[in-house]
Amino acid sequence: MTIGVGLLGLGTVGAGVADILSNPSGRHPLVGQLELRRVAVRDVSRPRPVALADHLLTTDPEAVVDDPAVDIVVEVIGGLEPARSLILRAIAAGKPVVTANKAVIARYGQEIAAAAAARGVYVLIEAAVGGGIPIIEPLKQSLGANRIQRVSGIINGTTNYILSRMASEGAAYGDVLAEAQRLGYAEADPAADVEGGDAADKISILATLAYGGSIERSAIPTEGISRLEARDVDYAAQLGFVVKLLAVAEHLGSDPDGTEQLDVRVHPTLLPKDHPLAGVHGVNNAILVEGEPVGQVMFYGPGAGAGPTSSAVVADILNIAGIRQAAGANGALDPLLAAGSWRQCRLVESGLTQHRNYVRLETTDEAGVIGRIGTCFGREQVSIQSIVQFETSGGAAEIVVITHEVSEASFRAALAAIADLPEVQTVAATLRTL
Ligand code: NDP
Ligand code: HSE
């Protein structure tokens, strides 16, 4: 039995999906039973990397969703609207949905999951996090027996590509970003990549799956790489670290009413050179899941681009197609594949969290400065791992401090006192350290 696929969007990801569906040879036998029936684009006259019959293309995405020949709707338009409304429209029509759209899922996932559960259809999102890496279904299913302590990772391909090429070749930030856009890695608005928003969308999705409750997306502390200075990457390297944009979701405890306390955040981070995530370069992503009793499990692979992402999208289509074939079009939902949430979660106020930190200070170059900085940290119980003076010129010095793990509130209080020292010209950079 052939299954009709309706594609919303034929850009980087959509064209990759169309390419797989039109070339089933050598793939899973079910791929040959999927047929692309309608495709929505913005501009039908645009040249495409895949050859499709003209009659398949339309500029009316609702017509694709409503087409009776379309059994599964694949949303790869991106952005919030009309993507959200089209997903809800498909669900209302009883059609399963596959989407790569992390922006929509991070903000409207609960609404979409509730609508899908009420209507008894699947919404699968494997491509929304980690590109070609299977991480969504493993978190939902294969690791379901675990208490997840932490999910951390490099989950934005564009920024990892930029940071890797800047570190390995000294390439200029703007040039590498343009290259990432040309290769189809970046979002339509690349600010989502470089300001950390895309990684925040993804970690909120992973946290929801790992901890079973929805996360307030707008409350996630988020810092991207656009303000990262090359000299900090260089000093970090001299101290034995690499800088990566890290997304972290960590379980800190539970409230008396059972609400889970989470620390969820995105920021550039100094990783020791021997850390498993430090060797993840280019467009690759990696996600480290720490759970009890499994221990540490790492997922690694290409995190963006047409091929990897369409691999994940088509895997979701195959999951749905396989279940339809086994159970009939209206068969019961498999609870592990279907979305679900069962706990309350809340983000812990950032001042109460604990981290290691890197600080770069611009100071006057005179006797006693390092001692006075050390005293400010000591007064707030902030323990220092190392303090190093780098550049010195014209009576000015740069001092880099790495702290042990300390409370964020104490660290901020110490930093405020340091900023007030007459010898300190500026607190030039602060970064997290693992
Ligand atoms: P593109 O910008 O390359 O493609 C978007 C497609 O949607 C285009 O074909 C565009 O038409 C079409 N489109 C946009 N608006 C409308 C509309 N109103 N009606 C009909 N068609 C419309 O995006 P990507 O393929 O890169 O990304 C798609 C989704 O996948 C996004 O949610 C993205 O975050 C996600 N994603 C992307 C990855 C990647 O590596 N690129 C990886 C993982 C997820 P036209 O071609 O005519 O302009
Ligand atoms: N812009 C995203 C990235 C695409 O660079 O990771 C994959 O989600």
Side-chain angles (χ1 to χ4, degrees), residues 7-15 39-48 58-61 75-79 81-83 86 99-104 127-132 158 183-188 198 202 283 303-306 308-310 313:
L7 196 52
L8 304 174
L10 191 62
T12 301
V13 182
V39 181
V41 293
R42 225 170 357 202
D43 176 1
V44 289
S45 66
R46 238 181 93 180
R48 309 280 168 187
T58 172
T59 54
D60 180 358
E75 186 280 304
V76 284
I77 283 180
E81 287 292 354
L86 291 165
T99 179
N101 193 331
K102 53 270 171 154
V104 157
V129 183
T158 300
L183 291 166
Y185 301 158
E187 295 303 300
D198 177 74
K202 291 168 175 169
V283 73
T309 312
S310 55
V313 169

Side-chain angles (χ1 to χ4, degrees), residues 4-79:
V5 175
L7 196 52
L8 304 174
L10 191 62
T12 301
V13 182
V17 171
D19 186 49
I20 295 176
L21 298 190
S22 53
N23 291 290
S25 166
R27 308 188 201 278
H28 191 286
L30 260 182
V31 179
Q33 293 177 43
L34 303 173
E35 188 178 300
L36 203 50
R37 300 251 166 93
R38 290 304 282 286
V39 181
V41 293
R42 225 170 357 202
D43 176 1
V44 289
S45 66
R46 238 181 93 180
R48 309 280 168 187
V50 278
L52 293 180
D54 284 349
H55 73 272
L56 291 181
L57 294 183
T58 172
T59 54
D60 180 358
E62 292 185 353
V64 174
V65 174
D66 297 346
D67 191 328
V70 166
D71 301 305
I72 300 175
V73 173
V74 177
E75 186 280 304
V76 284
I77 283 180

Side-chain angles (χ1 to χ4, degrees), residues 32-233:
Q33 293 177 43
L34 303 173
E35 188 178 300
L36 203 50
R37 300 251 166 93
R38 290 304 282 286
V39 181
V41 293
R42 225 170 357 202
D43 176 1
V44 289
S45 66
R46 238 181 93 180
R48 309 280 168 187
V50 278
L52 293 180
D54 284 349
H55 73 272
L56 291 181
L57 294 183
T58 172
T59 54
D60 180 358
E62 292 185 353
V64 174
V65 174
D66 297 346
D67 191 328
V70 166
D71 301 305
I72 300 175
V73 173
V74 177
E75 186 280 304
V76 284
I77 283 180
L80 299 182
E81 287 292 354
R84 169 185 158 274
S85 299
L86 291 165
I87 291 171
L88 291 171
R89 189 181 182 98
I91 293 169
K95 297 187 183 187
V97 175
V98 173
T99 179
N101 193 331
K102 53 270 171 154
V104 157
I105 297 299
R107 288 163 187 78
Y108 301 109
Q110 211 169 7
E111 178 189 23
I112 289 169
R119 194 64 177 77
V121 296
Y122 290 107
V123 175
L124 299 190
I125 61 166
E126 187 58 72
V129 183
I133 305 172
I135 178 64
I136 300 288
E137 294 310 326
L139 263 184
K140 275 161 71 177
Q141 303 184 52
S142 325
L143 294 168
N146 285 270
R147 295 190 184 100
I148 305 294
Q149 290 137 352
R150 182 162 41 197
V151 180
S152 55
I154 295 166
I155 50 176
N156 182 269
T158 300
T159 46
N160 204 46
Y161 181 75
I162 294 172
L163 290 175
S164 302
R165 290 204 43 203
M166 285 174 75
S168 64
E169 305 158 33
Y173 175 90
D175 294 347
V176 202
L177 172 57
E179 181 68 0
Q181 289 178 284
R182 194 187 64 73
L183 291 166
Y185 301 158
E187 295 303 300
D189 176 1
D193 297 292
V194 299
E195 302 299 346
D198 177 74
D201 289 346
K202 291 168 175 169
I203 196 68
S204 84
I205 294 171
L206 295 182
T208 295
L209 295 174
Y211 301 109
S214 71
I215 308 297
E216 196 188 336
R217 166 64 186 82
S218 60
I220 298 176
T222 304
E223 189 187 332
I225 64 163
S226 61
R227 285 187 301 279
L228 186 63
E229 291 191 44
R231 63 197 311 117
D232 292 309
V233 176

Side-chain angles (χ1 to χ4, degrees), residues 235-251:
Y235 291 161
Q238 293 183 51
L239 294 167
F241 296 92
V242 291
V243 180
K244 297 287 185 189
L245 184 66
L246 212 68
V248 182
E250 191 167 0
H251 187 243

